[in-house]
Amino acid sequence: MTKSSDKSLKTPQLLALVLCRVLIGWHFLYEGFIKVLNPEWSAKIFLLDSQGPFKSWFLWMANNEGVLQTVDFLNQWGLVLIGASLILGLFSRVATLAGALVLALFYLSHPPLIGVEYMLPSEGSYLIVNKNLIEMSFLIVLALIPTSQYIGLDRLIFRSRRK
Amino acid sequence: MEEKNKKVELKTSAMKMDRRDVLKSLATVPIIGAFGYGMYKKNKYYETLNSKLLEELDFDIKEQAGLNVPTDKKIRIGVVGCGGRSTYLMRSLGFANPDYIDNQIERAKTDKGWQERLENFIDQDDMGVEITAICDVFDIHAEDAIKAGQNIYRQGSKGKMGKAPKRYRTYQELVRADDVDAIIIGTPDHHHSPIAIEAAKRGKHVYCEKPLSWTVDETYQVRQAVVDSGIVFQLGHQNRQTDSYHVAKSIIEKGALGKISLIETCTNRNTPNGAWVYPIHPKANPNNIDWKQFIGPAPWHDFNLERFFRWRCWWDYSTGLSGDLFTHEYDAMNQILDLGIPSSAMASGGVYFFKDGRTVPDVLNMAFEFADRDLSLLYTATLASQYERPRLIMGHDATMKVSNTLEIVADADSTKYSDKIKSGLIDPGKPIFTYVPGKNKVDAVTTATEKYFAGRGLLYTHRNGKQVDTAHLHLREWLDCVRLDNGTQPSCDIHQGFEEAMTAHMGTVSFKEGRRAYWDSEKEKIV
């Protein structure tokens, strides 16, 4: 990183973004592992509780055994991989985009719209914007302002590619 | 020139993997380590908590296994009374009216839930039975039952059908038929015992809908007839098959609740259908209903469609809330706690909402005392409010909420759990134990999400993908005993039925006579 360059991040900016990346990674990793460790976990109940404009699509996922198995697998190992990748800063660009996509799906299946209620009450109060949406937008920021090539294993790849 | 130099410089620095590069590349790796450690600690914490609590609760789970006798030997069944309940029971046996299947297929086209239900029905275990005889006093119901009985391939109206069951005009003729091994009784209450007695005398096995009897006297007679004949008898309390009740029984036997002093049960409904105001068949008339036979042992009344279709509203044919709905609650508690017949009963209530000419109350409160057990059982019911109240077994050390799932909350002033409460291991404000059927392990500590869904009975249905029909299991248990043919009786046998009916009658006697009714256990009489 060239300190004087306008396009580059200042060290505090970079560190703040890396902090965001690591914390979001931690969240993904734990959400993934907790599902992996529970042999009875399935996304089915969550999907069946879907509301909003895409409800029927999520219900189709829940009621289709083959699709559900894939959804479950991706929810377990997908979250683990995204989390690990964000923390380590390895293939972070793919991970941030995949993470944003996953969160967008979570959001769309349970959008906090006016008059819409869910079986499981949310842990906060939301109107249209909820934590999934905020976390998703952060991942988009991280995808656009990559940090892993400065701090993270991507730095090694980045360097060797430039050889 | 300067530009070129810069590029070269960049290139060389890129090629060098200096210490700074390595540090910056690996800077976040320790976080994975911290995460792993945190994850391990958290798991360990809940594991220890769970094992300590389970150790304290000290019970093993006895889930239902079922007798599972092979079904190769065909059992020939006669169905007496072919209204709503028998239609359901026939489906539980695998026989549905083709029109019903057509309707299901139509609904399944647009709705996954209906599709699943249809598939569940089609995939339901073959019970190895044949419906050979039908008896109903209403022609249309009888014809519908015949159609269901011959639908052996579980198909729609265009499908292939089997041999039609024979229709008998009276149950006396049906139980005499040679091609009937066993009967299902799904008639109004006032016919239950007479039909069961007649069948027992002819050596036909009986599955009888609850309640066992309409009058006190019949209760002795039907018990005598069943015991003397040695037939296999099952009373239709399908909740005997509910997994959670079996688990509740084993947990309570281990003393998890301490001394139990009070049980609270209730019924809450708030629809005309729930209050027995059933639809009247538009084609029903005196020409297609054998009214005299419907009246049977009841006091005479002129032909009346309301009385025929909504018979539960009149004492003339019904046992009211006590016989129809309290019996479910009582039987559940009798199954879990082996209560037996109470020492006394007090009842009150009235017709407070459905002023439609009915004689049975729509609000009923009953208090039963079990003197030898030092406990009371309360039943309160209204057909005009469906506010849901839990079914509770209340002990000195803990209270158990019983439904398809179980939940135990320790009492803040419990003796048994006082040390654990002091040490903070048990929080009396939170459940110390939850049981969700279909989960093969017991958890003292489950996540908030799981508890939430479990409390609403959601995990059961969705996790296994299939909804288990308890009536199917209850019929299966009865048929298994018939096939075993070694004196084995099913879980809701005639003696359990006797206790159920007598308890319900005690409540009714108390209500009708406006006094406390007592049970003389030596003379086996209500006094």
Side-chain angles (χ1 to χ4, degrees), chain B residues 83-363:
Chain B
R85 186 60 196 164
S86 285
T87 307
Y88 186 90
L89 291 176
M90 282 176 80
R91 280 206 296 271
S92 298
L93 281 175
F95 300 88
N97 193 308
D99 297 340
Y100 169 86
I101 301 277
D102 285 347
N103 190 18
Q104 294 261 312
I105 291 171
E106 203 48 49
R107 283 176 156 170
K109 278 180 189 162
T110 50
D111 189 316
K112 293 278 169 190
W114 283 100
Q115 193 182 331
E116 210 168 300
R117 247 168 270 181
L118 179 64
E119 281 165 11
N120 282 356
F121 172 73
I122 289 169
D123 297 342
Q124 186 176 275
D125 280 356
D126 181 13
M127 300 276 243
V129 298
E130 197 183 326
I131 310 281
T132 51
I134 292 292
C135 178
D136 197 282
V137 297
F138 178 32
D139 291 347
I140 295 175
H141 280 174
E143 283 152 20
D144 283 344
I146 289 171
K147 278 199 215 164
Q150 67 182 130
N151 190 7
I152 53 174
Y153 303 108
R154 304 179 189 180
Q155 294 186 349
S157 52
K158 285 179 190 132
K160 204 172 124 194
M161 296 292 140
K163 197 183 158 204
K166 186 176 172 191
R167 181 181 175 191
Y168 293 86
R169 293 286 160 180
T170 66
Y171 69 82
Q172 289 90 344
E173 290 168 272
L174 183 142
V175 296
R176 262 184 253 132
D178 290 333
D179 63 348
V180 170
D181 303 314
I183 68 162
I184 290 174
I185 304 172
T187 61
D189 297 355
H190 67 305
H191 286 294
H192 287 180
S193 287
I195 299 172
I197 291 167
E198 196 65 24
K201 282 183 185 160
R202 304 280 166 186
K204 313 286 175 168
H205 306 289
V206 173
Y207 181 100
C208 181
E209 261 311 321
K210 50 88 211 170
L212 175 65
S213 60
W214 174 56
T215 67
V216 175
D217 287 343
E218 283 174 349
T219 322
Y220 303 103
Q221 294 160 9
V222 69
R223 180 178 63 173
Q224 195 65 45
V226 169
V227 169
D228 289 350
S229 66
I231 60 158
V232 175
F233 181 92
Q234 175 90 299
L235 189 66
H237 281 296
Q238 70 277 1
N239 291 349
R240 287 267 165 178
Q241 312 300 327
T242 305
D243 277 344
S244 61
Y245 295 178
H246 292 262
V247 176
K249 187 179 172 70
S250 58
I251 293 171
I252 289 172
E253 278 168 4
K254 294 274 184 174
L257 306 187
K259 163 78 191 130
I260 296 163
S261 57
L262 182 62
I263 301 166
E264 275 195 10
T265 62
C266 44
T267 299
N268 298 285
R269 291 178 167 186
N270 198 13
T271 62
N273 200 63
W276 313 311
V277 185
Y278 302 134
I280 291 172
H281 199 287
K283 288 181 183 159
N285 65 64
N287 296 323
N288 56 21
I289 291 173
D290 182 347
W291 180 251
K292 201 176 151 205
Q293 210 191 156
F294 165 75
I295 291 286
W300 179 257
H301 192 283
D302 287 340
F303 183 82
N304 181 308
L305 284 173
E306 278 190 27
R307 281 180 173 250
F308 184 77
F309 287 100
R310 301 169 182 169
W311 55 267
R312 281 203 168 98
C313 300
W314 287 273
W315 288 121
D316 287 354
Y317 329 103
S318 164
T319 48
L321 273 167
S322 188
D324 189 41
L325 296 169
F326 162 69
T327 49
H328 277 308
E329 301 299 317
Y330 168 78
D331 188 67
M333 291 305 145
N334 196 25
Q335 178 188 351
I336 296 171
L337 295 162
D338 281 322
L339 292 175
I341 298 172
S343 43
S344 77
M346 271 277 266
S348 68
V351 183
Y352 297 152
F353 189 85
F354 288 93
K355 309 255 182 209
D356 52 6
R358 68 178 61 203
T359 53
V360 304
D362 54 17
V363 171

Side-chain angles (χ1 to χ4, degrees), chain A residues 18 21-22 26 29-30 33-34 37-38 40-41 44-46 48-49 60 63 84 87-89 119-121 150-153 155-156 159 162-163, chain B residues 10 13-15 17 21 24-29 31-32 34-35 39 42-43 112 116 438-441 449-450 452-453 456 458-459 462-463 465:
Chain A
V18 169
R21 197 190 81 206
V22 168
W26 182 292
L29 193 57
Y30 189 68
F33 261 122
I34 205 78
L37 291 178
N38 180 357
E40 309 209 22
W41 180 86
K44 185 159 187 165
I45 297 162
F46 181 82
L48 285 173
D49 193 26
W60 170 78
N63 288 315
I87 293 177
L88 293 174
M119 290 291 299
L120 188 71
Y150 304 117
I151 293 179
L153 290 170
R155 186 185 181 102
L156 299 178
R159 289 275 142 144
R162 281 225 183 155
K163 254 184 241 180
Chain B
L10 259 173
S13 76
M15 282 172 75
M17 200 62 84
D21 273 338
K24 283 187 172 178
S25 301
L26 302 176
T28 54
V29 171
I31 292 165
I32 293 285
F35 174 87
M39 181 98 197
K42 189 167 175 177
N43 273 0
K112 293 278 169 190
E116 210 168 300
K439 278 185 81 166
N440 47 14
K441 65 180 182 10
T449 322
E450 279 192 326
Y452 197 84
F453 284 122
R456 298 184 169 220
L458 269 178
L459 291 175
H462 295 148
R463 190 157 288 161

